[in-house]
Short mmCIF file of all heavy atoms in Angstrom, two decimals:
data_model
loop_
_atom_site.label_atom_id
_atom_site.label_comp_id
_atom_site.label_asym_id
_atom_site.label_seq_id
_atom_site.Cartn_x
_atom_site.Cartn_y
_atom_site.Cartn_z
N MET X 172 107.89 16.38 72.74
CA MET X 172 106.65 15.87 73.31
C MET X 172 106.35 16.54 74.66
O MET X 172 105.25 16.95 74.98
CB MET X 172 106.74 14.38 73.47
CG MET X 172 105.82 13.77 74.51
SD MET X 172 104.74 12.55 73.78
CE MET X 172 103.86 12.02 75.21
N ASN X 173 107.42 16.65 75.51
CA ASN X 173 107.21 17.25 76.84
C ASN X 173 106.79 18.71 76.70
O ASN X 173 106.01 19.17 77.55
CB ASN X 173 108.52 17.13 77.67
CG ASN X 173 108.77 15.67 78.07
OD1 ASN X 173 107.94 14.85 78.05
ND2 ASN X 173 110.05 15.44 78.41
N LEU X 174 107.33 19.38 75.70
CA LEU X 174 106.96 20.78 75.53
C LEU X 174 105.51 20.92 75.03
O LEU X 174 104.72 21.73 75.49
CB LEU X 174 107.92 21.48 74.57
CG LEU X 174 109.35 21.62 75.04
CD1 LEU X 174 110.20 22.22 73.96
CD2 LEU X 174 109.43 22.53 76.28
N LEU X 175 105.15 20.06 74.06
CA LEU X 175 103.78 20.13 73.48
C LEU X 175 102.76 19.75 74.52
O LEU X 175 101.63 20.24 74.51
CB LEU X 175 103.65 19.21 72.30
CG LEU X 175 104.55 19.50 71.07
CD1 LEU X 175 104.27 18.48 69.93
CD2 LEU X 175 104.26 20.90 70.59
N GLY X 176 103.16 18.89 75.44
CA GLY X 176 102.24 18.40 76.46
C GLY X 176 102.27 19.31 77.71
O GLY X 176 101.67 18.99 78.75
N ALA X 177 103.03 20.41 77.68
CA ALA X 177 103.11 21.36 78.81
C ALA X 177 103.69 20.67 80.06
O ALA X 177 103.40 21.07 81.16
CB ALA X 177 101.71 22.00 79.11
N LEU X 178 104.56 19.66 79.81
CA LEU X 178 105.23 19.11 80.96
C LEU X 178 106.55 19.84 81.23
O LEU X 178 107.19 19.68 82.27
CB LEU X 178 105.57 17.63 80.67
CG LEU X 178 104.36 16.70 80.55
CD1 LEU X 178 104.74 15.39 79.85
CD2 LEU X 178 103.76 16.40 81.92
N ASP X 179 106.95 20.67 80.27
CA ASP X 179 108.25 21.38 80.34
C ASP X 179 108.03 22.67 79.54
O ASP X 179 107.09 22.79 78.77
CB ASP X 179 109.28 20.48 79.65
CG ASP X 179 110.67 21.04 79.76
OD1 ASP X 179 110.95 21.88 80.68
OD2 ASP X 179 111.50 20.66 78.91
N ARG X 180 108.92 23.65 79.79
CA ARG X 180 108.82 24.89 79.07
C ARG X 180 110.08 25.14 78.23
O ARG X 180 111.17 24.76 78.62
CB ARG X 180 108.68 26.07 80.11
CG ARG X 180 107.24 26.18 80.59
CD ARG X 180 107.04 27.33 81.52
NE ARG X 180 107.66 27.08 82.78
CZ ARG X 180 107.29 27.64 83.93
NH1 ARG X 180 106.37 28.54 83.94
NH2 ARG X 180 107.88 27.31 85.07
N PRO X 181 109.90 25.83 77.06
CA PRO X 181 111.07 26.03 76.25
C PRO X 181 112.07 27.03 76.83
O PRO X 181 111.63 27.89 77.60
CB PRO X 181 110.45 26.61 74.94
CG PRO X 181 109.10 27.04 75.28
CD PRO X 181 108.66 26.31 76.48
N THR X 182 113.31 26.89 76.50
CA THR X 182 114.33 27.87 76.90
C THR X 182 114.10 29.14 76.13
O THR X 182 114.25 30.24 76.66
CB THR X 182 115.77 27.31 76.61
OG1 THR X 182 115.84 26.00 77.15
CG2 THR X 182 116.82 28.20 77.25
N GLU X 183 113.75 28.98 74.83
CA GLU X 183 113.46 30.12 73.96
C GLU X 183 112.32 29.82 73.04
O GLU X 183 112.05 28.61 72.77
CB GLU X 183 114.68 30.44 73.06
CG GLU X 183 115.68 31.38 73.63
CD GLU X 183 116.82 31.54 72.65
OE1 GLU X 183 116.59 32.01 71.53
OE2 GLU X 183 117.97 31.15 73.01
N GLY X 184 111.66 30.84 72.57
CA GLY X 184 110.56 30.63 71.61
C GLY X 184 109.21 30.49 72.30
O GLY X 184 109.10 30.55 73.51
N SER X 185 108.18 30.27 71.46
CA SER X 185 106.82 30.17 72.03
C SER X 185 106.07 28.99 71.50
O SER X 185 106.27 28.57 70.38
CB SER X 185 106.11 31.51 71.86
OG SER X 185 105.68 31.63 70.53
N ILE X 186 105.21 28.49 72.35
CA ILE X 186 104.26 27.43 71.95
C ILE X 186 102.86 27.92 72.25
O ILE X 186 102.54 28.26 73.44
CB ILE X 186 104.55 26.13 72.72
CG1 ILE X 186 106.00 25.66 72.40
CG2 ILE X 186 103.55 25.04 72.37
CD1 ILE X 186 106.42 24.40 73.12
N ILE X 187 102.04 27.97 71.24
CA ILE X 187 100.67 28.42 71.40
C ILE X 187 99.72 27.30 71.08
O ILE X 187 99.81 26.76 69.98
CB ILE X 187 100.40 29.66 70.52
CG1 ILE X 187 101.37 30.80 70.90
CG2 ILE X 187 98.94 30.12 70.58
CD1 ILE X 187 101.44 31.94 69.93
N ILE X 188 98.89 26.92 71.97
CA ILE X 188 97.90 25.85 71.71
C ILE X 188 96.52 26.44 72.00
O ILE X 188 96.28 27.01 73.08
CB ILE X 188 98.16 24.63 72.58
CG1 ILE X 188 99.59 24.06 72.27
CG2 ILE X 188 97.11 23.54 72.28
CD1 ILE X 188 99.89 22.77 73.00
#
Side-chain angles (χ1 to χ4, degrees):
M172 157 121 178
N173 292 341
L174 293 175
L175 297 180
L178 294 163
D179 184 23
R180 281 183 286 204
T182 311
E183 271 177 61
S185 73
I186 299 179
I187 298 167
I188 301 183

